[in-house]
Amino acid sequence: MSESPLEFTRRYFQAIEAGAPPEELAGFFHPEVRQREYPNRLTPRGATRDLQALLDASARGSKVVVSQRYDVRSALCDGERVALEVDWSATLAVPVGSLPAGGTMRASLGVFLTFRDGRIAIQHNYDCFEPF
């Protein structure tokens, strides 16, 4: 029995939490992946990323956070599409805004994934950060 998109997504979040290196994270994505991060406090203009840009952003993020956690509040799966509500938290390695190094940054996320060939081909993020 093959892994469902929802099971795959949970494993993807676990890999991020574990600090997986870029070459391991790349295995979760279709080679033609497109990620859209809608405007938020950290990325006011939003961003659209291909695979390399996603991996580069992950590497940059690993210098800002010591650890992070994804708690899935709810998830819907419709064939090759997954929609999630996620509580995200991260312990900071460096100060961000009014949060000190060692402080916790939190956000509520809407994450929408579309799969192709068993991997993530499209990822849309709506990240709502708590004040910092």
Side-chain angles (χ1 to χ4, degrees), residues 12 29 32-38 40 46-51 53-55 57 111-113 120-127:
Y12 166 53
F29 299 108
E32 297 173 8
V33 66
R34 289 293 174 264
Q35 186 244 3
R36 174 83 170 105
E37 180 179 353
Y38 287 86
N40 60 64
T48 300
R49 299 178 181 96
D50 63 8
L51 178 58
L54 265 168
L55 299 177
V111 181
F112 300 85
L113 305 172
I120 299 166
I122 299 170
Q123 178 173 337
H124 289 180
N125 285 69
Y126 298 84
D127 303 340

Side-chain angles (χ1 to χ4, degrees), residues 1-15 28 72 75-84 113 115 118-120:
M1 182 173 204
S2 65
E3 185 176 41
S4 75
L6 186 54
E7 291 166 334
F8 186 94
T9 300
R10 290 184 188 279
R11 201 163 49 81
Y12 166 53
F13 286 152
Q14 290 168 350
F28 288 94
V72 176
L76 296 171
C77 187
D78 181 20
E80 297 296 305
R81 295 170 39 146
V82 177
L84 305 117
L113 305 172
F115 286 76
R119 294 192 280 170
I120 299 166

Side-chain angles (χ1 to χ4, degrees), residues 44-115:
R45 297 172 89 82
T48 300
R49 299 178 181 96
D50 63 8
L51 178 58
Q52 188 58 56
L54 265 168
L55 299 177
D56 292 346
S58 175
R60 282 191 307 277
S62 70
K63 295 176 182 165
V64 176
V65 300
V66 174
S67 64
Q68 56 187 322
R69 179 147 176 87
Y70 291 80
D71 290 312
V72 176
R73 281 189 288 159
S74 68
L76 296 171
C77 187
D78 181 20
E80 297 296 305
R81 295 170 39 146
V82 177
L84 305 117
E85 288 182 288
V86 179
D87 290 327
W88 173 83
S89 60
T91 302
L92 297 171
V94 298
V96 175
S98 64
L99 298 173
T104 302
M105 179 176 272
R106 298 181 194 285
S108 296
L109 313 178
V111 181
F112 300 85
L113 305 172
T114 302
F115 286 76

